[in-house]
């Protein structure tokens, strides 16, 4: 065995030893992971994500994955010749769009992620289980309404977003049964819910992750995105924000564009009982492990 190979072995052992205090912090704790957007874009990165989720389970953590799929829905709608429109970042969802959204989210993406987890965990028999909010009354939704100012009259008018919902009630019993089972299951949840009348609705995946994390009393929620975290006005990463500081970052324009709803989701999750939410770059291999098991973390932590 070469000195270089021996050196790599010692370095790996040192890393594992340094991670022990953090592994103990998360032992038998629930971590909800929002996985979506460009973080899902490349198959190799997605397979690394699946392997890291399996490693979390093997280390005693209870990972619960909530995924999005906006780019994939847009691509399928384009192939089907269906045009999308957005209001405040939410896709207006008519019946045709809802049909495609459910097919992509609950079908192709959900089962692919669950399968990658099962493949990555084959040796230890860790299994991904694909679900949506329609299963076992997991997510009951109410219809989302938005208002928009009419540029001609300055009056607020209601915009009908179609089959777009937000969680009204989350029943975590099915998820809890899976994560606390004797077998090693990792739930993978598609952001689809059902109304009290039985209608199917599309839900923002960040919102689903926050609502589910609150209902499960998760120790952490990880929002995997395509940026390093919240950046200050100089482009430097902000390592930690209190809820009050996060609100101020939105008010002062420090957080802009897609970061605003992510911070709003983080604030809502913390107020619902999640200990902390971390916004981090899901495109970087092993970002979750760096965040949970090292001193410095990998993104912006939002807490009380």
């Amino acid at each position: 065995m070469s000195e270089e190979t021996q050196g790599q072995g010692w370095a790996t052992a040192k890393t594992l030893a340094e991670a022990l205090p953090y592994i103990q912090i998360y032992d038998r704790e629930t971590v909800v992971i929002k996985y979506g957007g460009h973080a899902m874009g490349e198959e190799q990165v997605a397979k690394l994500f699946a392997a890291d989720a399996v490693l979390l389970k093997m280390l005693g953590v209870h990972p619960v994955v909530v995924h999005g799929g906006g780019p994939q829905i847009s691509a399928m709608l384009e192939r089907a010749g269906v045009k999308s429109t957005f209001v405040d970042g939410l896709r207006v969802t008519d019946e045709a769009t809802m049909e495609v959204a459910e097919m992509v989210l609950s079908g192709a993406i959900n089962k692919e992620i669950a399968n990658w987890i099962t493949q990555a965990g084959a040796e230890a028999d860790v299994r991904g289980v694909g679900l949506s909010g329609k299963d076992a009354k997991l997510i009951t939704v109410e219809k989302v309404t938005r208002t928009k100012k009419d540029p001609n009259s300055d009056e607020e008018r209601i915009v009908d977003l179609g089959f777009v919902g937000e969680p009204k009630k989350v029943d975590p019993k099915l998820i809890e049964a899976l994560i606390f089972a004797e077998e090693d299951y990792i739930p993978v949840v598609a952001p689809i819910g059902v109304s009290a009348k039985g209608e199917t609705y599309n839900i923002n995946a960040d919102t689903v992750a926050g609502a589910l994390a609150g209902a499960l009393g998760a120790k952490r929620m990880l929002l995997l995105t395509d940026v390093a975290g919240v950046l200050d006005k100089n482009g430097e990463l902000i390592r930690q924000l209190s809820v009050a500081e996060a609100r101020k970052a939105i008010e002062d324009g420090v957080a802009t564009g897609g970061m605003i709803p992510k911070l709003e989701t983080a604030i809502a999750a913390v107020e619902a009982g999640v200990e902390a939410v971390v916004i981090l770059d899901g495109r970087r291999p092993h970002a979750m492990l760096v965040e949970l098991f090292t001193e410095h973390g990998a993104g912006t932590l939002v807490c009380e």
Side-chain angles (χ1 to χ4, degrees):
M1 185 182 293
S2 70
E3 284 189 22
E4 182 183 350
T5 304
Q6 276 192 320
Q8 289 172 347
W10 285 106
T12 301
K14 183 172 182 288
T15 301
L16 287 170
E18 289 173 349
L20 178 60
Y22 305 100
I23 292 171
Q24 292 185 78
I25 287 170
Y26 292 102
D27 183 41
R28 284 166 284 200
E29 295 284 359
T30 299
V31 174
V32 173
I33 304 156
K34 160 49 187 9
Y35 180 54
H38 297 289
M40 291 170 56
E42 296 179 27
E43 184 173 324
Q44 194 53 41
V45 175
K47 287 182 176 178
L48 284 174
F49 165 81
D52 284 352
V54 169
L55 180 56
L56 291 180
K57 192 68 177 177
M58 293 286 89
L59 289 172
V61 181
H62 298 308
V64 176
V65 179
V66 176
H67 66 83
Q72 292 87 339
I73 293 171
S74 294
M76 184 62 78
L77 288 170
E78 193 173 324
R79 283 168 59 186
V82 179
K83 188 177 179 181
S84 286
T85 56
F86 292 83
V87 175
D88 296 336
L90 296 173
R91 188 190 306 270
V92 177
T93 306
D94 58 16
E95 285 189 31
T97 303
M98 186 64 245
E99 190 175 330
V100 171
E102 184 170 21
M103 178 178 67
V104 172
L105 291 169
S106 296
I109 296 175
N110 184 266
K111 303 311 175 190
E112 188 172 53
I113 296 171
N115 181 55
W116 280 337
I117 289 171
T118 301
Q119 294 303 313
E123 193 69 27
D125 200 22
V126 178
R127 306 182 194 184
V129 181
L131 306 165
S132 82
K134 293 175 77 171
D135 291 298
K137 292 185 178 179
L138 178 56
I139 304 173
T140 303
V141 305
E142 58 185 7
K143 182 180 172 68
V144 168
T145 56
R146 288 288 186 272
T147 59
K148 200 166 188 179
K149 190 171 284 188
D150 189 320
N152 298 318
S153 65
D154 267 356
E155 290 182 2
E156 294 282 341
R157 60 183 180 86
I158 295 175
V159 179
D160 187 359
L161 297 171
F163 293 96
V164 176
E166 57 188 9
K168 183 180 180 183
K169 182 182 178 184
V170 176
D171 185 341
K173 291 189 189 72
L174 175 60
I175 302 295
E176 289 169 341
L178 288 168
I179 63 179
F180 296 125
E182 288 186 16
E183 297 79 11
D184 288 318
Y185 295 124
I186 297 179
V188 181
V189 182
I192 299 290
V194 64
S195 71
K197 294 180 180 179
E199 297 169 313
T200 302
Y201 280 79
N202 188 17
I203 320 169
N204 177 276
D206 288 357
T207 306
V208 171
L212 192 53
L216 289 167
K219 189 171 185 69
R220 282 289 184 277
M221 181 170 87
L222 306 181
L223 284 174
L224 302 186
T225 182
D226 55 0
V227 294
V230 183
L231 307 180
D232 64 20
K233 291 185 177 179
N234 297 318
E236 297 293 321
L237 177 67
I238 302 172
R239 291 285 178 182
Q240 185 167 327
L241 291 168
S242 67
V243 164
E245 289 168 337
R247 284 201 175 96
K248 194 169 189 306
I250 295 171
E251 290 167 8
D252 293 350
V254 173
T256 59
M259 187 53 69
I260 293 173
K262 288 190 179 350
L263 272 180
E264 289 173 341
T265 295
I267 291 166
V270 171
E271 290 181 337
V274 179
E275 187 177 288
V277 177
V278 185
I279 302 168
L280 66 160
D281 190 346
R283 300 169 304 176
R284 298 193 66 179
H286 313 307
M288 294 191 296
L289 305 183
V290 172
E291 170 54 39
L292 295 175
F293 302 131
T294 69
E295 182 181 354
H296 300 295
T300 299
L301 183 140
V302 180
C303 59
E304 194 74 51

